[in-house]
Amino acid sequence: MSAPTRTPSGAPAHLTGAGGGRVGDDAQRPDGVLKVRGEFAYGSDLWMEDMLWGVTLRSPHPYARIRSVDLGAALAVPGVHAVLTSDDVPGEKVYGLELADQPVLAVDVVRYQGEPVALVAADHPETARLAASRIQVDYEVWEPVTDARVALGHPTPDRPDTSPPRDQVHDAPAEVTELSRESAHLHPQGNLVRHLKVRKGDPEPAADVVVVGEYEVGMQDQAFLGPESGLAVPAEDGGVELYVATQWLHVDQRQICSALGLPPERVRLTLAGVGGAFGGREDLSMHVHACLLALHTGRPVKMSYNREESFFGHVHRHPATMRYEHGATRDGDLVYVRAAIYFDGGAYASSTPAVVGNGGTMGVGPYVVPNVHVDCYGAYTNNPPCGAMRGFGSVQTAFAYESQMDALAAELGMDPVELRCRNAMEEGSPTPTGQVIDSPAPVAELLRRLQAMPLPPEAATGDDVDLRDMPGGVSNTTHGEGVRRGVGYAVAYKNVAFSEGYDDHSTARVRLEVVGGEAVATVHTAAAEVGQGLVTVEQQIARTELGVEQVTVHPKDTSVGSAGSTSASRQTYVTGGAVKAACEAVRARVLERARTVVGRPVADLRLDGGEVVSDAEGIAVPLADVLGDEAVEETLEWRHRPTEAVDPETGQGFAHVQYAFSAHRAVVDVDTELGLVKVVEMACTQDVGKAINPQAVVGQIQGGTAQGLGLAVMEEILIRDGRVQNPSFTDYLIPTVLDMPPMRIEVLECADPHAPYGLRGVGEAPNISSGPAVLAAIRAATGLPLTRVPVRPEHLTGT
Amino acid sequence: MRLTCTVNGTEQQVDDVWEGESLLYVLRERMGLPGSKNACEQGECGSCTVYLDGLPVCACLVAAGQAEGRAIGTVEGLTDGDTGQLHPVQQAFLDAGAVQCGFCTPGLLVATDDLVGRSLAEGRKPADAEIREALAGNLCRCTGYEKILDAVRLAADRMSEAGR
């Protein structure tokens, strides 16, 4: 079976461009030319002559029993080739990243609005949609559970005397037990996905000054632009080839094999072009569905969600409710933090356990706190499933702990930056989980540098006003009257790579050979390029380590070992580390061979400029002469130093391998009469250890800043009774170029001695600190407490 | 139905177009021109921006039949067809680091080409506030827009220089 092709764009290609560049250079991405020519093949661009289109029928109800499904009318639609339900799933009916609890297609019960119920393949996407709409599903609609605390039987402000946790299993009908559906567990094992406890120091600490706050963070969407999409092609061996936009090919493969009942060698995945991810592609979407339809029809099947379906087709960022209590001395030294953090995981677990791990272990922020008592919960509800999104469990808590630091500063009459610097972590500091920070942690320096940056000019007044600079813009809502300026700071830290004892590794295959008289390296990993620029980094590392200019990036697929997930800011560290190690192994073999050709010991040889160089002798021999016709290839699995599981009762343990630190200063203008916010400037300082590609590092900081700003002032999936109210870009707002202010960025490079090149993961930290800085600035402008994000106009006007 | 139009200077004719299809669908699925992207298909994101008789439009909002007899320009038409040379706007996006995942890029390239072309025709380069206004209909989720602004300025500088 041939690979999917179309004219003029091809299947995932070997990437050879662009202009060179080693570690530390602003190298250009090798897929850049294809992307600006419109020829880069994203998952939704794949096409084969005889392919069918697959669509999903989803549940309109957040919680219901399926009494019956009638496929007859759908099958009768001309052009329809298959209509499938859970009965057609040959292997395991449920899957999941950490817990297998999510049905491939609904089995008897649907637990969230948008849960896949049936699939259709047809020769035109509209035919498939028409047929799907004719599937008759008879639902017995149940009352959904929509609050994480209620799901756990914990008290809420509205229900202070809620009874203790329930013990009823999900499929015992409410009428039998005389309990409402709301009182029943959603899954047999109960509604608690994970409870992480952190206990450190004195359990009953006393402090001079205490501040208490309750905070709420709404549900954010990754809103990547490229839809969930891919093409499944049935193979002659009874298996399937899947070309798909994803973040981790091998974890997809494991789950697909389980659902299809096929061994890994018969389920082969290749990464299609990915139009952004941000965590939203860690879970399966159309993967198994397209494979099922392809295997059933014997035809290639393409699936590509439209925007509305995309809002139902991937997990979101967990909404959170958090109660914090901070105690400090009169001088401003933190004495203790107590926190209760609730993450609403929605209907299925996804990565909720790990999100709870991050939220709990890093929930007090980058500060030294001698006494800590944190309870972090993840719960099942009938809201949309929540899982990974950039910042992963740290974004939510940062809003709370940074708001608390500002509240404490106000209570103490201290400058908020001063209070933060006084309590800031540094190298050698203990974390709440008993780790000692063993690499640079320049928290105070990041803040001081921000503070030293010039502020933007004061807002114009009177006749000088340019409406485009005003809150409300050209809507002409103000000429400056009622507008107040505020400045706010926030700082964040985030673990890099997978934590809590996970065997976090990556695999790289590197080959060096002579092509057309020139030494060329090929780097083959399964690491997903999702836009962040890992393909560029892979080339830069190979150029640096092998001293060649031409480096080809092999298409990402499962014919090489796992690279782990493109998430947790980990790929440059872990896959970068694997590529570096594989290059070093190749280099050792080449130099060993060169030893006899050049006649110098290996220790005296290095690779540079396509030559084997001996500085001592002043000799340079072309690599092509050393290699001849023979390729040198090495495949290596590489690991960062191990972490360990935390103690279940105290949360103590070496949980995280590395931390990333960033700080933001936000300047905002607020129209206090209409509640409109204009972010005037964002400034950011971040320690990246070593900027492998400085231009791409800055791009990550800018993009992360935008997503944090979005959550602070506009982005929220609105849920009412378990139903999504705004599944479109008309109603779910992400920042446009008009919403984003100019940014001032300073990148620090304080090397981490444990990491390749001293680098630190970059992508997530700026997404964590930017939103709380914006919130602090709005608070400074208005004097309002503001304990919920996104901040809406009515929160600012009291209407 | 049969649809006949000019795409990137070449006459195209496709048959069996269903009346409900958009121009975007026809370009992507029937003409083999997937450069224009399908991020929202409801006119909110700008990733499918194409020229329709010289004016930038969202191809997802144009019914295929509305394109009958008209001239379409897509991102694929920006590159010089004879030499393969990138358009200055394309090169500027690469040089400025304005391309990450790249899904918004084709629409932004067309919108930028339109903006810079109009400005230079008036003998000036677009000011920042104008750039922001002109690109406000093109969503990007990766870059935070800073490098896109850099790219537009760079393209305007280079094209202005070349036009002298």
Side-chain angles (χ1 to χ4, degrees):
Chain A
M1 191 67 66
S2 59
T5 55
R6 64 177 304 157
T7 305
S9 65
H14 286 75
L15 300 171
T16 54
R22 297 189 176 195
V23 167
D25 295 341
D26 286 331
Q28 282 200 5
R29 38 185 325 131
D31 53 8
V33 171
L34 286 172
K35 285 179 173 178
V36 297
R37 289 168 64 105
E39 294 174 1
F40 185 74
Y42 295 89
S44 53
D45 297 334
L46 302 175
W47 188 87
M48 286 180 85
E49 193 64 55
D50 57 343
M51 74 180 189
L52 300 172
W53 290 79
V55 306
T56 326
L57 176 71
R58 293 172 181 273
S59 166
H61 307 295
Y63 199 20
R65 184 201 300 275
I66 297 173
R67 288 201 191 97
S68 65
V69 181
D70 182 353
L71 307 178
L75 285 163
V77 174
V80 167
H81 289 250
V83 185
L84 307 181
T85 67
S86 66
D87 292 343
D88 302 296
V89 177
E92 293 295 325
K93 307 274 188 196
V94 291
Y95 71 93
L97 278 176
E98 298 183 37
L99 304 169
D101 64 354
Q102 182 158 5
V104 173
L105 291 166
V107 182
D108 300 333
V109 174
V110 289
R111 295 182 183 81
Y112 73 99
Q113 181 204 18
E115 179 155 351
V117 173
L119 305 169
V120 178
D123 53 13
H124 191 287
E126 288 307 323
T127 305
R129 286 190 192 110
L130 174 70
S133 73
R134 294 195 177 164
I135 297 172
Q136 296 292 316
V137 186
D138 182 16
Y139 292 101
E140 175 190 329
V141 179
W142 291 341
E143 175 113 355
V145 180
T146 59
D147 184 307
R149 290 164 300 181
V150 171
L152 296 176
H154 293 195
T156 70
D158 300 337
R159 304 159 53 112
D161 57 349
T162 297
S163 49
R166 292 78 176 222
D167 55 6
Q168 188 189 12
V169 296
H170 76 295
D171 51 357
E175 52 275 23
V176 173
T177 59
E178 296 182 345
L179 286 171
S180 71
R181 288 308 316 171
E182 193 178 310
S183 307
H185 284 151
L186 299 168
H187 291 270
Q189 70 275 28
N191 288 346
L192 179 66
V193 182
R194 186 178 182 191
H195 174 196
L196 181 93
K197 302 175 212 173
V198 180
R199 305 284 185 264
K200 182 185 181 185
D202 183 353
E204 302 288 340
D208 301 336
V209 178
V210 173
V211 293
V212 177
E214 303 219 1
Y215 303 92
E216 192 179 335
V217 175
M219 184 186 290
Q220 189 179 21
D221 189 69
Q222 296 83 353
F224 44 70
L225 291 192
E228 291 88 341
S229 52
L231 179 70
V233 186
E236 283 165 7
D237 64 357
V240 63
E241 316 270 353
L242 178 66
Y243 299 79
V244 65
T246 185
Q247 288 179 239
W248 186 359
L249 290 165
H250 285 79
V251 84
D252 292 349
Q253 184 189 37
R254 168 174 69 73
Q255 296 171 91
I256 297 166
C257 286
S258 164
L260 298 180
L262 289 173
E265 58 273 18
R266 286 213 239 155
V267 177
R268 297 170 288 267
L269 273 70
T270 303
L271 186 71
V274 184
F278 317 115
R281 299 187 205 266
E282 282 191 28
D283 295 74
L284 298 183
S285 57
M286 44 59 66
H287 307 52
V288 178
H289 297 164
C291 292
L292 284 172
L293 290 169
L295 290 171
H296 200 85
T297 60
R299 299 263 293 265
V301 172
K302 171 170 167 170
M303 294 185 81
S304 179
Y305 294 173
N306 62 25
R307 183 50 52 181
E308 180 176 354
E309 184 169 20
S310 178
F311 273 97
F312 293 101
H314 62 257
V315 300
H316 313 291
R317 187 191 300 290
H318 292 73
T321 50
M322 299 167 282
R323 182 182 190 280
Y324 273 70
E325 181 179 321
H326 278 58
T329 65
R330 285 263 166 245
D331 296 335
D333 293 323
L334 287 171
V335 175
Y336 74 90
V337 176
R338 289 182 75 91
I341 301 158
Y342 289 89
F343 289 121
D344 182 348
Y348 297 103
S350 179
S351 47
T352 295
V355 168
V356 168
N358 279 8
T361 58
M362 292 175 286
V364 307
Y367 305 111
V368 178
V369 189
N371 306 294
V372 177
H373 184 112
V374 173
D375 287 289
C376 187
Y377 303 91
Y380 287 121
T381 67
N382 292 114
N383 288 325
C386 288
M389 184 175 171
R390 193 178 195 174
F392 202 86
S394 295
V395 164
Q396 298 92 329
T397 55
F399 277 105
Y401 66 68
E402 286 300 80
S403 296
Q404 283 287 101
M405 292 301 277
D406 284 343
L408 185 60
E411 193 68 27
L412 291 164
M414 275 181 83
D415 176 76
V417 172
E418 223 31 68
L419 177 68
R420 286 176 169 84
C421 290
R422 188 181 182 97
N423 292 283
M425 275 180 178
E426 55 192 18
E427 186 163 359
S429 294
T431 70
T433 53
Q435 260 184 279
V436 172
I437 303 269
D438 59 0
S439 70
V443 175
E445 186 182 353
L446 293 174
L447 285 162
R448 300 269 185 231
R449 281 174 181 260
L450 270 183
Q451 221 172 10
M453 288 184 192
L455 282 162
E458 286 300 313
T461 51
D463 295 339
D464 296 335
V465 163
D466 183 338
L467 282 179
R468 293 174 295 193
D469 296 332
M470 289 284 127
V474 294
S475 303
N476 198 18
T477 49
T478 179
H479 288 233
E481 59 278 12
V483 174
R484 305 276 179 274
R485 177 156 292 188
V487 180
Y489 290 83
V491 56
Y493 82 141
K494 168 76 180 52
N495 61 327
V496 172
F498 281 19
S499 297
E500 298 187 65
Y502 190 86
D503 178 23
D504 192 23
H505 64 271
S506 180
T507 315
R509 179 174 296 155
V510 172
R511 182 182 172 91
L512 188 61
E513 64 197 319
V514 178
V515 178
E518 188 184 358
V520 176
T522 301
V523 178
H524 187 183
T525 75
E529 165 64 46
V530 300
Q532 82 281 36
L534 183 73
V535 285
T536 326
V537 166
E538 291 180 336
Q539 287 186 315
Q540 291 175 269
I541 291 174
R543 287 193 198 106
T544 302
E545 299 303 329
L546 297 175
V548 296
E549 278 307 297
Q550 291 301 320
V551 178
T552 298
V553 178
H554 188 283
K556 312 292 196 166
D557 60 29
T558 51
S559 72
V560 66
S562 175
S565 183
T566 294
S567 56
S569 307
R570 66 178 283 287
Q571 283 296 25
T572 297
Y573 189 139
V574 188
T575 291
V579 171
K580 180 170 185 278
C583 286
E584 286 164 353
V586 167
R587 187 176 63 205
R589 279 180 54 195
V590 171
L591 292 183
E592 186 56 36
R593 199 182 297 181
R595 185 170 59 90
T596 51
V597 180
V598 184
R600 295 289 306 171
V602 167
D604 183 34
L605 300 176
R606 62 186 178 88
L607 300 181
D608 196 12
E611 296 178 318
V612 179
V613 180
S614 164
D615 292 316
E617 292 290 306
I619 309 173
V621 178
L623 252 180
D625 294 353
V626 175
L627 290 169
D629 295 334
E630 201 179 330
V632 177
E633 182 178 292
E634 289 286 344
T635 305
L636 277 188
E637 217 170 68
W638 190 86
R639 288 168 166 74
H640 57 70
R641 57 194 174 132
T643 58
E644 61 187 27
V646 296
D647 182 275
E649 291 307 314
T650 65
Q652 301 297 300
F654 188 88
H656 305 302
V657 67
Q658 186 188 60
Y659 296 99
F661 299 90
S662 67
H664 271 90
R665 182 187 71 193
V667 180
V668 304
D669 282 343
V670 181
D671 180 340
T672 54
E673 293 166 2
L674 292 174
L676 301 176
V677 176
K678 166 88 179 173
V679 182
V680 175
E681 188 198 78
M682 294 295 285
C684 180
T685 50
Q686 182 170 351
D687 172 31
V688 304
K690 166 73 182 173
I692 303 296
N693 186 331
Q695 189 184 57
V697 162
V698 170
Q700 285 296 305
I701 295 173
Q702 292 165 334
T705 301
Q707 291 184 3
L709 182 154
L711 178 56
V713 295
M714 63 181 80
E715 293 187 34
E716 183 175 9
I717 295 184
L718 297 166
I719 313 281
R720 191 177 302 147
D721 300 328
R723 291 171 199 277
V724 176
Q725 304 297 302
N726 55 343
S728 74
F729 281 160
T730 309
D731 297 313
Y732 183 91
L733 303 181
I734 65 173
T736 71
V737 71
L738 290 174
D739 300 307
M740 286 311 299
M743 297 182 216
R744 231 177 248 280
I745 292 167
E746 267 185 43
V747 173
L748 274 65
E749 295 182 281
C750 308
D752 177 349
H754 308 287
Y757 306 110
L759 72 84
R760 229 172 251 291
V762 171
E764 293 177 288
N767 188 8
I768 298 166
S769 48
S770 77
V774 171
L775 185 67
I778 301 172
R779 219 184 264 130
T782 61
L784 295 167
L786 301 178
T787 56
R788 185 191 197 282
V789 289
V791 175
R792 300 195 200 112
E794 59 265 35
H795 301 150
L796 299 174
T797 57
T799 49
Chain B
M1 66 181 185
R2 168 175 290 184
L3 175 67
T4 308
C5 57
T6 306
V7 181
N8 298 329
T10 305
E11 179 148 316
Q12 295 265 8
Q13 181 178 303
V14 285
D15 288 324
D16 300 325
V17 174
W18 174 56
E19 290 78 355
E21 288 172 14
S22 65
L23 172 59
L24 179 64
Y25 184 90
V26 170
L27 288 169
R28 290 176 52 79
E29 306 300 338
R30 297 195 181 276
M31 293 181 175
L33 293 169
S36 308
K37 292 298 170 230
N38 54 330
C40 80
E41 297 176 274
Q42 53 187 184
E44 294 288 354
C45 75
S47 67
C48 65
T49 304
V50 299
Y51 284 116
L52 181 64
D53 286 344
L55 288 176
V57 297
C58 288
C60 70
L61 296 184
V62 177
Q66 289 177 288
E68 177 65 31
R70 301 174 77 174
I72 318 297
T74 73
V75 66
E76 287 96 339
L78 288 179
T79 310
D80 188 302
D82 297 327
T83 65
Q85 177 97 26
L86 293 180
H87 188 281
V89 169
Q90 293 172 310
Q91 191 62 49
F93 269 65
L94 291 180
D95 293 343
V99 179
Q100 288 191 29
C101 91
F103 211 79
C104 68
T105 303
L108 274 161
L109 291 172
V110 173
T112 301
D113 180 58
D114 174 61
L115 167 70
V116 175
R118 278 189 285 116
S119 301
L120 294 184
E122 294 168 12
R124 59 190 187 80
K125 291 185 273 190
D128 276 8
E130 279 179 88
I131 300 173
R132 288 183 187 274
E133 203 64 41
L135 302 185
N138 292 79
L139 298 177
C140 168
R141 191 56 160 166
C142 297
T143 66
Y145 303 102
E146 283 282 90
K147 292 189 185 301
I148 290 170
L149 290 166
D150 292 342
V152 177
R153 294 181 200 115
L154 183 60
D157 285 345
R158 287 177 178 171
M159 289 166 74
S160 163
E161 199 64 36
R164 274 190 198 138

